Amino acid sequence: MSRIGKHPVPVPAGVDVSVNGQQVTAKGKLGSLSMTLIDDISAKLEDGKVVVTPANDSKRARTMWATSRTLINNMVTGVSQGFTINLEINGVGYRAAVQGKELVMQLGFSHDVKYPIPEGISIKCDKPTSISVSGFDKQKVGQVAAEIRGWKKPEPYKGKGIKYETETVLRKEGKKK
C-alpha cells in the first residue's frame, strides 16, 4: 500500500483541475500544465481534491501510484505558487547578469558564458553572485538550474564554482609541506 499515493491532492482556490480519462490538466494564475497518466493509474476529482488510485493490482500500478500523485501535486502547486531555485556563485571575478533574454556569466573562462533563458522560466540576478531561477514547471526549473550549475561545478579545495543555495560543498585539505 502506497503511503503517499493514498493521500488526495488538495486543489487550492484559483486553480482549475480537469480530469478527462487519462489526461489531467491544471490551470492557475501562473500558467497551465497537463500530463497523461499511464493506463494502470486512474484519477478522479472529488470534493475539490484529486484522488489517484491504481486501476489494477499489478506491480507497475503500485509503483506508479505515488509517482503519479506527486506529479499531479507538483502541477497544482506550480500553477498556484510556482517554484524557485537559488544558486550562488563563489570565486574571484565570477559573476552573472541577465541581459535581455540571456544569462551572461563570467566563470574564469577566456570568454563569457551565454545561456539563453527558456520559455516559461524567469531568471533574476539580485546580486552579481546570486542567481534565482523560477517558473511554474518544477521539472523545467530544476533542469535549467542544473544546466547553469553544470557550467562550473563547485570544486572541493577552494569551493569555487556555482552551487545550490542549500548545497554544502565538502572541502578537502590542500597539499601539506
Side-chain angles (χ1 to χ4, degrees):
M1 185 84 175
S2 172
R3 287 180 280 184
I4 295 173
K6 62 185 174 185
H7 299 295
V9 178
V11 179
V15 176
D16 180 39
V17 176
S18 62
V19 179
N20 296 330
Q22 297 301 99
Q23 189 74 22
V24 180
T25 307
K27 292 179 185 165
K29 63 181 179 184
L30 297 178
S32 175
L33 290 171
S34 66
M35 72 172 281
T36 304
L37 297 173
I38 64 168
D39 294 334
D40 296 334
I41 302 295
S42 64
K44 56 184 178 262
L45 198 60
E46 294 177 352
D47 305 333
K49 295 178 180 176
V50 179
V51 179
V52 181
T53 54
N56 52 41
D57 205 24
S58 68
K59 182 174 173 122
R60 184 168 186 234
R62 286 181 283 131
T63 57
M64 294 301 291
W65 183 13
T67 302
S68 301
R69 186 254 180 221
T70 304
L71 290 173
I72 292 171
N73 187 43
N74 287 343
M75 282 178 16
V76 171
T77 306
V79 296
S80 63
Q81 300 169 356
F83 297 100
T84 302
I85 295 178
N86 296 317
L87 300 165
E88 292 177 354
I89 302 175
N90 295 322
V92 177
Y94 290 13
R95 57 185 171 272
V98 176
Q99 295 176 357
K101 294 190 178 217
E102 282 187 331
L103 175 67
V104 179
M105 298 175 284
Q106 295 168 345
L107 300 173
F109 300 125
S110 61
H111 58 283
D112 291 353
V113 175
K114 295 182 180 180
Y115 182 80
I117 300 172
E119 197 71 32
I121 298 291
S122 65
I123 296 178
K124 287 186 272 189
C125 293
D126 297 331
K127 298 184 290 185
T129 58
S130 71
I131 302 170
S132 177
V133 180
S134 57
F136 58 88
D137 188 353
K138 187 173 188 176
Q139 191 276 329
K140 202 179 224 184
V141 171
Q143 181 68 37
V144 168
E147 287 173 2
I148 292 171
R149 180 182 178 272
W151 280 104
K152 196 78 160 184
K153 291 182 181 168
E155 53 96 12
Y157 296 101
K158 291 185 179 178
K160 292 167 56 170
I162 302 173
K163 70 178 192 79
Y164 296 114
E165 187 179 54
T166 57
E167 181 181 9
T168 54
V169 179
L170 289 174
R171 302 294 288 272
K172 290 184 177 178
E173 190 176 352
K175 286 195 272 186
K176 294 180 183 175
K177 287 190 175 184

